[in-house]
Amino acid sequence: MFTCLDIQLKPATATEAVERSPDQGWQYGAYLDVGYGLNFNFPENHQWRSKQTTPRTNEVAPNMGLAYLRKEPRTDSRWGMELAVQGGYDTEELVPREHPLSGADTLRHLARANISYLAPVGNGLELTAGLMKGFINYESFYAKDNFNYTRTYLTDYNPNFIFAVGGRYPITPNVDVGLHVLNGFQHLSHPNNLPSYGAELDWRLTTHATLYQNIYYGPDQSETDLKFWRAFSDSTLQWRGESLTLALSYDVGTEKSSADPGNPRQFWMASALYARWELGGPWAAALRPEVFWDRNGLMTHAQQLLWAMTSTLDYEQHVGPQLAIVRLEYRYDRSTGLEGGFFKDGEFAPGAPRLVRDQHVIWLGLMWAFDS
């Protein structure tokens, strides 16, 4: 099985991890992702405003380079670990604008650094500590594991990485639960010294349908009074058939602002519908409408309503332990609201880039992965 750090859109359940055949010990691999986005706004700064991954257009962009070593915990070898390093444009926005962790610009190059243990408790309790994959998100941070080349705004502004201590337990073959104690919503942010908390539920409803529910609760401001804690919910319902996969995600988050007079409540909401058709052989097609409402500018630093439609043609070819992926993608984005807009060539005022509501981009994504 080709793994390369993230196996699929959602991680395997604890039950699936225990039941895998014992033919995998230590694994190592690498991944490269280079893209070119033809942005018809032709912004002089080449920047895709409000986007964290694939942030640069109208240039050849080395978006991701990754190398990793991993060992999964199993019943016949209960200790596991992951270590991975990464670099590229996709890692730059992992460093937060406010309250960055000391050494954050160096730590963004760490993708994984954790140890795990499969405890002989009931059906198998998997414990993990360190830097790990964020439990919130249907899409992966890495483009190769997704249906489309570009990621949703929903994915960009959710925790793709966490510094945490946590555990996952399969209550039944169809129900997994997880609990985590983590350092915050953004793993490279340090606004205070209190921990945050996360819970997850993976419920296989039928042979084809699975529900994923994630909850986050914790302090993400310098003021740590309970009334200022952030509450966040991420829900996804997936249906997977022989050639068609559909998934609907809905996120909602809120917190009271401790810095603004009157402590107003801030709010954001996002949703995306993912669809992928296997066309036969190495070919597939994907379609994804999405919306992201940042009412107070808390996440994107602009009060705006973003929506987008993305269509992708995908070609994947395995050659032994290597995987080559070519994706051709068209994406239309629109941003409205008090502070909305995308960069366009020219200036609105000296030193102020011109903003427009719409953006059309054609993407070519080239990806290569190796897994031992």
Side-chain angles (χ1 to χ4, degrees):
M1 178 181 292
F2 200 94
T3 55
C4 198
L5 199 60
D6 285 330
I7 297 175
Q8 53 191 11
L9 288 179
K10 290 295 291 186
T13 64
T15 301
E16 290 169 340
V18 171
E19 292 176 349
R20 286 190 188 125
S21 59
D23 59 356
Q24 296 289 340
W26 289 93
Q27 297 172 287
Y28 56 89
Y31 168 56
L32 293 175
D33 170 3
V34 178
Y36 183 90
L38 178 59
N39 186 339
F40 289 91
N41 288 341
F42 296 101
E44 294 181 5
N45 59 11
H46 293 214
Q47 293 289 325
W48 182 345
R49 189 171 183 257
S50 302
K51 201 71 173 66
Q52 294 196 341
T53 54
T54 57
R56 299 187 66 84
T57 60
N58 298 107
E59 64 180 57
V60 176
N63 288 314
M64 177 56 63
L66 172 77
Y68 72 91
L69 175 69
R70 68 183 289 180
K71 177 185 177 297
E72 290 190 1
R74 311 183 55 85
T75 54
D76 57 348
S77 181
R78 294 190 175 274
W79 287 97
M81 62 84 66
E82 289 183 306
L83 178 63
V85 293
Q86 63 185 8
Y89 286 143
D90 281 356
T91 69
E92 292 181 352
E93 291 298 322
L94 293 175
V95 180
R97 300 184 187 183
E98 299 177 351
H99 310 294
L101 190 69
S102 178
D105 196 54
T106 298
L107 290 172
R108 70 182 173 93
H109 295 296
L110 271 180
R112 303 285 190 274
N114 63 70
I115 58 173
S116 54
Y117 178 70
L118 184 61
V121 176
N123 297 322
L125 173 63
E126 184 173 333
L127 304 171
T128 308
L131 174 61
M132 65 190 81
K133 181 182 186 296
F135 61 91
I136 298 173
N137 268 350
Y138 181 72
E139 285 185 313
S140 168
F141 185 72
Y142 305 105
K144 68 176 181 61
D145 298 304
N146 300 329
F147 298 162
N148 308 90
Y149 180 66
T150 60
R151 273 120 289 173
T152 60
Y153 297 103
L154 179 154
T155 299
D156 279 358
Y157 292 100
N158 280 0
N160 287 288
F161 305 88
I162 55 174
F163 280 115
V165 175
R168 285 176 61 89
Y169 182 78
I171 298 177
T172 73
N174 294 322
V175 178
D176 279 35
V177 295
L179 293 174
H180 306 270
V181 179
L182 55 152
N183 71 323
F185 200 78
Q186 292 178 292
H187 78 294
L188 296 182
S189 178
H190 185 64
N192 57 68
N193 293 320
L194 291 185
S196 297
Y197 305 92
E200 57 181 320
L201 167 69
D202 296 351
W203 184 5
R204 189 179 294 107
L205 303 173
T206 69
T207 303
H208 298 288
T210 305
L211 173 67
Y212 304 101
Q213 178 62 54
N214 302 295
I215 298 293
Y216 170 90
Y217 188 56
D220 286 276
Q221 303 176 71
S222 298
E223 174 58 61
T224 59
D225 191 282
L226 195 64
K227 67 180 179 180
F228 298 119
W229 281 31
R230 176 175 298 182
F232 178 76
S233 170
D234 166 83
S235 307
T236 297
L237 181 62
Q238 175 189 267
W239 184 90
R240 187 187 295 272
E242 290 185 6
S243 60
L244 174 65
T245 300
L246 298 172
L248 177 64
S249 293
Y250 176 76
D251 288 5
V252 58
T254 184
E255 69 180 23
K256 281 190 173 183
S257 172
S258 63
D260 296 324
N263 307 129
R265 180 163 294 281
Q266 299 177 314
F267 174 87
W268 78 97
M269 181 277 292
S271 185
L273 175 63
Y274 308 89
R276 177 182 171 92
W277 295 267
E278 301 292 341
L279 301 177
W283 296 96
L287 186 67
R288 184 190 64 206
E290 62 172 293
V291 62
F292 193 103
W293 182 33
D294 198 0
R295 186 183 71 175
N296 307 96
L298 180 63
M299 308 305 289
T300 65
H301 304 284
Q303 298 177 42
Q304 60 183 325
L305 173 65
L306 292 154
W307 67 270
M309 178 67 76
T310 305
S311 55
T312 308
L313 181 63
D314 179 276
Y315 177 87
E316 298 187 8
Q317 186 65 56
H318 292 266
V319 181
Q322 301 184 66
L323 172 65
I325 305 174
V326 180
R327 288 192 186 139
L328 182 63
E329 183 166 294
Y330 166 70
R331 176 164 174 153
Y332 169 71
D333 292 75
R334 182 170 177 80
S335 172
T336 59
L338 183 64
E339 300 169 333
F342 299 100
F343 295 125
K344 187 175 175 60
D345 62 314
E347 293 183 332
F348 173 74
R354 182 182 172 194
L355 296 179
V356 294
R357 296 299 185 192
D358 303 293
Q359 179 176 271
H360 300 264
V361 185
I362 295 176
W363 280 94
L364 177 63
L366 304 175
M367 289 157 281
W368 168 86
F370 169 83
D371 182 77
S372 62

